[in-house]
Amino acid sequence: RGIEQENTKLAQLRRNEQRLNQLMKSLSQQKSRPSKSTASSGQSAESDTASQNMSAAKGFAQAKGRLSRPVAGNVTGRYGSAQPDGGIWKGHFISSSTGQSVKSVYAGKVIYTGPVQGYGNTVIVDQGEGYFAVYGSLADINVHSGAEVKSGQRLGSTGRHESGQDGLYFEIRHISQPVNPSAWIN
């Protein structure tokens, strides 16, 4: 019976991760569609994307290793390590008491706010150049989709992860693939 329960938990974790992956894929596809203003201005989506990538190259990618933590606390779930309920962390879980201010690690555009099964209330920020920051397990959200945020701007506050831990789940993704946040956060 215990093995069956563990297999059920693991299957649920995998479904939750697939949901986040699908959401990220959908958001990436929406971003890559040319906007009406781009089409009406006669500028090609290709040149628009190229100019965005050029400015992003001078930004987020260059900040690797120098970003501040999104919340004060101890990393108790490290990228690549086992989660308490099974599965592997695809980001970091930072333990912190509920209600602590969660801040953007870098300037960007909020492309999603809302619940994601298995991640709770979530904010996803497009950092440019195919990079995204995912902030999960939030008690509340203080930004809206489409908002431009500054580095250090409050996004919401810490809540409780589905495993029962208080704090923040934080991921960095590049082209929809999770990368180790340790390489980015100082």
Side-chain angles (χ1 to χ4, degrees):
R1 181 99 183 135
I3 292 174
E4 186 177 314
Q5 286 177 330
E6 290 302 313
N7 286 338
T8 301
K9 281 184 194 176
L10 192 55
Q12 181 64 41
L13 289 170
R14 287 184 180 136
R15 284 191 299 274
N16 292 344
E17 184 179 345
Q18 287 173 344
R19 284 184 190 98
L20 181 60
N21 288 338
Q22 280 302 112
L23 175 61
M24 294 298 300
K25 184 177 179 181
S26 172
L27 292 170
S28 293
Q29 287 172 346
Q30 288 174 12
K31 179 185 171 199
S32 66
R33 290 186 196 130
S35 68
K36 290 179 185 175
S37 63
T38 301
S40 65
S41 71
Q43 183 182 17
S44 75
E46 230 173 85
S47 65
D48 186 41
T49 301
S51 66
Q52 288 173 358
N53 285 345
M54 289 286 279
S55 63
K58 297 175 187 169
F60 190 75
Q62 297 300 312
K64 187 174 185 177
R66 296 190 308 266
L67 301 175
S68 296
R69 281 192 185 180
V71 68
N74 295 319
V75 177
T76 57
R78 293 196 178 277
Y79 174 90
S81 67
Q83 291 187 27
D85 293 338
I88 302 295
W89 290 109
K90 302 293 183 181
H92 281 350
F93 188 82
I94 304 170
S95 291
S96 180
S97 60
T98 300
Q100 296 300 307
S101 189
V102 174
K103 297 179 180 178
S104 178
V105 296
Y106 198 80
K109 183 175 183 175
V110 177
I111 59 169
Y112 180 83
T113 61
V116 177
Q117 190 168 350
Y119 296 85
N121 288 329
T122 301
V123 172
I124 301 174
V125 179
D126 182 349
Q127 307 295 176
E129 201 180 28
Y131 288 99
F132 302 89
V134 179
Y135 305 80
S137 304
L138 299 170
D140 61 74
I141 297 173
N142 297 109
V143 293
H144 59 78
S145 192
E148 296 287 334
V149 294
K150 297 176 182 174
S151 180
Q153 182 174 333
R154 187 175 205 264
L155 302 176
S157 63
T158 56
R160 180 164 287 197
H161 188 263
E162 70 173 8
S163 67
Q165 299 175 75
D166 292 338
L168 173 75
Y169 177 70
F170 177 70
E171 255 185 38
I172 294 177
R173 289 183 172 232
H174 185 242
I175 312 173
S176 299
Q177 295 299 311
V179 297
N180 189 344
S182 293
W184 292 83
I185 304 297
N186 66 17

